[in-house]
Each structure stands twice: as structure tokens, then as C-alpha cells.
Amino acid sequence: MAQSMSFFIGIVVLAFTPICFSTKTYSGYLFPQFYDRSCPQAKEIVKSIVAKAVAKEARMAASLLRLHFHDCFVKGCDASLLLDSSGSIISEKRSNPNRNSARGFEVIDEIKKALEKECPQTVSCADILALAARDSTVLAGGPNWEVPLGRRDSRGASLSGSNQNIPAPNNTFNTILTKFKLKGLDIVDLVALSGSHTIGNARCTSFRQRLYDQSGNSLPDSTLEQSYVAQLRTRCPRSGGDQTLFVMDFVSPTKFGNNYFKNLLASKGLLNSDQVLVTKNQESLALVKQYAENNELFFEHFAKSMVKMGNISPLTGSRGEIRKNCRKINF
């Protein structure tokens, strides 16, 4: 039985207290102490470079967190997103969810370079993404958690998987929930992880339809507060300005917290995929209300869901590789 179950090592005591899991995978374990002997400085190296990047540009915290999401939803948490096109590999960076929006790759490169100098071919790019996501969250004022480690890097990418598996801003609630369930995540994970939109930005092109023609009737989305519609229209016109950035949480755009959920209850969720959490499902609405009222509960659920998401189909044991360069496979 011990070989087929996950072992819970730690529990959440407070929202800011780390949680620690050891997770049984197909051919090995993920556990927070994985590099304690082989590269004891690994976590500190990642943390210091992420801190420097976020201090330089606050938006980078959201960008690094998003990279981990977009990696895990395609082929599992295996750093496939980081691969550039080469030979038979068509990069996931070219997919609709990532093109012109995924960023932070240079920060990952800097971390990898430092780790290769400290302990060559030891720390995987997939684990770098997981650690950077946690550190970014903490730096933005969010919860802390122990990151299970021991992932290895894929030797391929999936452009089609990136286009199909990552939830899109215009997806229906049921489509989004289905995409989560296919990865072993449930509705609590969906709502909690959507809370990552408390930081970061979205492009005009990702929500323009809501402002002008949500249902093919040349009218704005009726679930979007109308004064907010007018405000958004000033910088997101009917045509043009596709890449103009808008904060997803206008109350505290660089601070990780539960204002995102309060905005949803006020009908001021920027993306359709945000607002459907309160308009299309009673269970998700109840969770939004709980998180809006209780920031510590949101933090606790978010941390647990991040660990759960980070355990999606990792490569362990002899599967995959430890890349020397996160952008290309070893030869």
C-alpha cells in the first residue's frame, strides 16, 4: 500500500506556514529535500535570482508563476514549455496561450546558468519552474509552501497540447473545469488557482469581446459592471491596441491577496474565465465568497493546489533528462 499512496508529511498550520508533501510518482518520489545533498544551495540560488528579477520588475512575479501553470497543463510539469524550436521540436512558446504573452524565460536562463556553475547537470528546469513559482508568490505577499522536488526534464514539446489543454480566457466554465479535471484537479483547485490572477496583466485582445460583442448582439457582457466596461474601453478600443496591458486586479495589482475574489463579486472580473466563477456554477460561487471573506483560507487552499498541480505527470527516475540549457535538449 505504501507504494501506491501519497504521504502527507506536513500540514498547513497557518496560511503562511509551509506545507510539505512527498508524492509517489510513476517511477520515484518528489520530496522537498531532493537536492539537500546533491545541490544544497539550489533553493537559495533560485530564490535570490527571482528576488532580484521581481525587485527590478514587479510584474515578473506573475510571469514566473504563469510559466509553471502553462508548463504543467501540457505533458505534465516537465519544462517542455521552455524548449525552443529545434529539429523535430516545435516550441510551445508559439501556441495561442503563450505567443506574445509568456515571459520570464531570461530569468529561468539566469537561474539555470547559476545552478550549472554550482552543481552541473543536477537541478532540472522543471524544478526551477516550480521553485520560481513559489518564490514569486511569496515575494508578492502570498503564501509559502514546501515544493516537492525531483522532476526531470522532457525531451520534447507539444504545440497542440499547449493550444488545447491550457484554459483560455473565453472558455466556458464547463470547458475550464473539464481541462482541470483531465489533469486530476477539482473545482476547489480551479477556483483557488484562478486566484493567481490577483497579480499580473492581461492583453486587450484577451477580453475585448466582453466589451463590445459578447453574445453576437453588439452589446457588452451583461455580467461585467458597466462603469468598468466604460473604463476599459478607453484603452481597449473596438479595433487596435491588441497588446495593451491591463491589470487583472485593479485594487492591488502587484500584491497577492483576495481582492481578486472581491472584484468578481462586484462584477469586475477582467477575463470571462474569471467572471464565470461567480455566474455559472453555485459551488464555485460559494468558494469565491469564502475566499473573499477569508484571505487565510484562500492562501491555505492556493498552497495545497499549487503542490497538487506541481505533481501533474512529472518525469522521475531515469525518465527524461536534466538539461544543461533549459531551451534545448541535451545531445
Side-chain angles (χ1 to χ4, degrees):
M1 182 175 180
Q3 292 182 341
S4 62
M5 69 179 291
S6 299
F7 292 89
F8 189 77
I9 295 177
I11 60 172
V12 174
V13 180
L14 292 171
F16 290 92
T17 302
I19 59 178
C20 175
F21 285 89
S22 176
T23 302
K24 182 71 167 64
T25 66
Y26 179 77
S27 57
Y29 286 94
L30 297 183
F31 55 99
Q33 300 80 18
F34 187 84
Y35 297 111
D36 281 6
R37 291 187 178 181
S38 61
C39 192
Q41 296 302 312
K43 295 175 187 177
E44 285 303 316
I45 289 172
V46 175
K47 183 185 295 184
S48 65
I49 295 176
V50 170
K52 183 178 67 173
V54 173
K56 182 178 179 181
E57 181 192 14
R59 179 189 172 199
M60 188 55 69
S63 298
L64 293 173
L65 178 56
R66 186 169 182 254
L67 285 183
H68 187 41
F69 275 76
H70 282 213
D71 179 48
C72 289
F73 268 78
V74 184
K75 297 173 75 275
C77 306
D78 60 3
S80 61
L81 170 59
L82 302 179
L83 289 171
D84 289 337
S85 294
S86 176
S88 63
I89 296 172
I90 302 176
S91 178
E92 293 169 18
K93 298 172 185 178
R94 297 170 56 179
S95 71
N96 292 329
N98 294 324
R99 189 174 60 250
N100 298 322
S101 64
R103 59 195 300 274
F105 299 109
E106 295 79 7
V107 177
I108 302 300
D109 291 340
E110 184 178 352
I111 294 170
K112 183 59 174 172
K113 183 177 180 180
L115 287 171
E116 284 299 300
K117 183 177 180 180
E118 177 73 17
C119 33
Q121 278 194 272
T122 301
V123 182
S124 69
C125 300
D127 279 344
I128 292 172
L129 285 175
L131 287 167
R134 187 275 308 275
D135 294 339
S136 294
T137 300
V138 173
L139 285 165
N144 195 2
W145 63 91
E146 292 278 11
V147 180
L149 300 167
R151 301 167 189 81
R152 288 166 64 85
D153 301 323
S154 71
R155 292 182 57 82
S158 177
L159 179 63
S160 61
S162 187
N163 277 319
Q164 296 168 11
N165 299 343
I166 297 172
N170 59 350
N171 280 164
T172 66
F173 177 85
N174 288 335
T175 296
I176 298 169
L177 182 58
T178 296
K179 289 181 177 181
F180 270 71
K181 287 183 174 179
L182 287 172
K183 299 302 177 184
L185 304 175
D186 58 26
I187 194 167
V188 175
D189 302 315
L190 165 58
V191 180
L193 293 176
S194 293
S196 64
H197 287 176
T198 181
I199 55 176
N201 299 267
R203 296 174 297 159
C204 167
T205 186
S206 64
F207 62 86
R208 173 185 285 117
Q209 181 179 339
R210 299 189 72 202
L211 306 183
Y212 298 98
D213 191 20
Q214 176 69 359
S215 304
N217 55 7
S218 298
L219 295 175
D221 188 343
S222 61
T223 68
L224 191 59
E225 202 274 331
Q226 294 307 296
S227 66
Y228 191 42
V229 170
Q231 178 184 341
L232 294 172
R233 280 180 168 180
T234 62
R235 296 180 54 236
C236 184
R238 190 179 293 271
S239 62
D242 286 6
Q243 305 305 316
T244 303
L245 295 174
F246 292 75
V247 294
M248 288 189 281
D249 174 0
F250 61 89
V251 177
S252 52
T254 61
K255 181 174 175 55
F256 199 102
N258 66 343
N259 280 320
Y260 163 82
F261 297 104
K262 296 176 182 179
N263 294 341
L264 296 186
L265 294 175
S267 299
K268 293 182 178 180
L270 185 62
L271 304 178
N272 182 69
S273 55
D274 295 323
Q275 201 61 52
V276 293
L277 297 180
V278 303
T279 60
K280 299 299 182 181
N281 184 278
Q282 289 300 308
E283 189 175 354
S284 64
L285 171 59
L287 286 164
V288 169
K289 289 180 177 178
Q290 289 179 50
Y291 297 157
E293 295 172 359
N294 188 335
N295 193 58
E296 288 191 357
L297 180 66
F298 164 45
F299 278 18
E300 177 185 333
H301 285 189
F302 184 84
K304 288 181 178 180
S305 293
M306 284 296 292
V307 171
K308 190 174 176 182
M309 185 190 74
N311 291 333
I312 298 174
S313 305
L315 300 174
T316 57
S318 60
R319 302 161 72 209
E321 64 179 15
I322 305 298
R323 291 184 210 141
K324 299 176 184 178
N325 181 330
C326 290
R327 293 176 181 259
K328 59 185 180 181
I329 61 174
N330 298 334
F331 292 99

